[in-house]
Structure formats: structure tokens, C-alpha cells
């Protein structure tokens, strides 16, 4: 096995672990978004996409001949980040969640950009195709989050002001 191929497989495993962490993070966020239906709907859609992304990566790994048990190695690395993202925040969890999601999407974008280059270098057209498909979904999610961030912030601030008025009464 060439060294580039080892790296390709390693990065595929890392990407698979990353999507599993994304699933945990998005599920955690969803449970706190009852008051933000539009954001909740988009996150629910991306949760579906995330599960499909993980399964596409798993198919690539299976085809390349890796044991799925080997994927567990990479799982721990991102756990801390996902926990910090899905953890408890002081009142502004919807904003911390938006910040974390936008950051996480960009880590995913960078990961798939690396994977595409590595797959092309190894002549792995299917891995490149899957990575491009995942990349487009991550870019669409990052764009959506960015274009709705001001609106989410305004909604958060209005709700916070209303809660604070209610508390004074
Ligand atoms: Fe994503």
C-alpha cells in the first residue's frame, strides 16, 4: 500500500468519525430549538444529510477494504469538540449552537477538500465523488447558517428582552 493511500483511508475514517460527531451535535441542538422553527427545520434536514454522508463514507471504507472496527480509533479525537458544542450553555445556547455549527461546517468543508485531493491523487473516483457530494451539502449548510445568523440573533435578543420584562413583572 502506498503512503498516499494510507492517508486517504485515514482521512476517510476521520471524516466518518466527524460525521458521527456531527450527528450527536445536531441532535443535541434540535432538542433546544422549539422556539426557532426555521433553524430547527434546517438542522433537521442537515441531520438527515449528515446520516447519509456517514453512510456514504462507510461504503467507501468498506469498498476500500477497511474493517469498520478500525473506524473506532478516530472516534475519540473529535469527541471533546462535539461535547463542548452539545454541552450546556448559559442561556444563549441557540447562539452558541449557531457559532459551533458554523465552525463545525467549515471543519467539514476543509476535510472534504483534503479528501477530494487525496482521492484524485489515488485515482479513487468514487471517493472523490462522494466527498464532493458531502462537500456541497456542508457548503449549503454553512451558507444557510451565515445568511440566517443575524435573524437568529434578533430572535434571540427579542426573546431575551421579553423574558426579562416578564421576570420584572
Ligand atoms: Fe455538516
Amino acid at each position: 500500500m502506498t503512503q498516499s493511500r494510507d492517508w486517504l483511508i485515514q482521512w476517510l475514517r476521520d471524516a466518518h468519525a466527524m460525521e458521527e460527531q456531527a450527528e450527536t451535535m445536531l441532535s443535541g441542538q434540535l432538542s433546544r430549538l422549539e422556539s426557532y422553527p426555521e433553524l430547527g427545520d434546517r438542522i433537521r434536514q442537515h441531520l438527515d444529510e449528515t446520516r447519509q454522508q456517514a453512510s456514504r463514507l462507510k461504503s467507501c471504507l468498506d469498498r476500500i477494504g477497511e474493517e469498520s472496527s478500525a473506524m473506532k480509533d478516530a472516534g475519540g479525537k473529535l469527541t471533546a469538540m462535539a461535547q463542548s458544542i452539545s454541552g450546556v450553555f448559559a442561556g444563549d445556547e441557540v447562539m452558541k449552537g449557531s457559532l459551533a455549527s458554523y465552525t463545525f461546517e467549515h471543519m467539514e468543508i476543509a476535510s472534504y477538500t483534503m479528501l477530494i485531493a487525496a482521492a484524485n491523487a489515488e485515482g479513487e473516483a468514487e471517493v472523490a465523488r462522494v466527498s464532493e457530494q458531502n462537500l456541497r451539502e456542508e457548503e449549503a449548510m454553512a451558507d444557510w447558517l451565515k445568511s440566517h445568523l443575524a435573524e437568529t440573533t434578533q430572535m434571540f435578543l427579542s426573546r431575551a428582552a421579553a423574558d426579562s420584562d416578564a421576570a420584572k413583572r
Side-chain angles (χ1 to χ4, degrees), residues 19 22 46 50 53 105 108 138 141:
E19 295 304 347
H46 196 58
T50 297
Q53 290 167 356
E105 293 310 324
E108 293 174 323
E138 308 304 9
M141 183 61 178

